[in-house]
Amino acid sequence: QVQLVESGGGLVQVGGSLRLSCAASGIIVRLGAMGWYRQAPGKERELVASITSDGSANYADSVKGRFTISRDNAKNTVYLQMNSLKPEDTAVYYCNADEDYSDYGLDDYNYWGQGTQVTVSS
């Protein structure tokens, strides 16, 4: 079982920055792709950024150029550096990770963190 714990959320003014962290713990075989999702009140959860185990990153158009996803495989941790924050970035941000069982011929197992609140004030 893998547990994901997000941290780094908070209240920030427009144009400010935050760095989110998500640390995986527990019984880890190998972490595959990891990503950050967000969900605002009354809205669907959306993918913000993802990163493969090799470090290839993808971003939602709404955050491209402002957010940077990275990972430290040695620490089983994924980060989201958020710059030039806008009010529309306000949401609960969730970490997501795949546990890679490909060496065993099995499909990846997916995990979610509990979420961390990011609020951008105007």
Side-chain angles (χ1 to χ4, degrees):
Q1 186 74 250
V2 175
Q3 294 82 45
L4 303 176
V5 179
E6 303 97 332
S7 62
L11 176 64
V12 66
Q13 291 185 334
V14 170
S17 298
L18 287 172
R19 190 191 193 207
L20 306 183
S21 298
C22 172
S25 62
I27 303 174
I28 301 172
V29 177
R30 181 185 293 109
L31 292 177
M34 305 181 76
W36 290 94
Y37 291 72
R38 68 186 181 188
Q39 187 168 23
K43 304 293 184 180
E44 294 184 347
R45 187 172 298 187
E46 64 175 347
L47 177 65
V48 177
S50 63
I51 185 168
T52 68
S53 59
D54 293 331
S56 179
N58 287 286
Y59 301 91
D61 289 341
S62 59
V63 306
K64 194 170 298 182
R66 300 187 297 120
F67 291 10
T68 302
I69 189 171
S70 61
R71 64 190 292 164
D72 186 337
N73 290 334
K75 297 181 179 180
N76 294 319
T77 301
V78 63
Y79 307 93
L80 186 67
Q81 179 66 48
M82 305 185 295
N83 299 324
S84 302
L85 283 162
K86 305 175 180 179
E88 51 262 45
D89 295 318
T90 296
V92 177
Y93 284 70
Y94 296 90
C95 179
N96 179 271
D98 288 336
E99 190 174 19
D100 183 9
Y101 286 93
S102 62
D103 287 349
Y104 305 94
L106 300 173
D107 291 338
D108 289 357
Y109 201 94
N110 189 254
Y111 296 90
W112 288 93
Q114 84 289 343
T116 185
Q117 177 71 49
V118 171
T119 302
V120 184
S121 64
S122 60

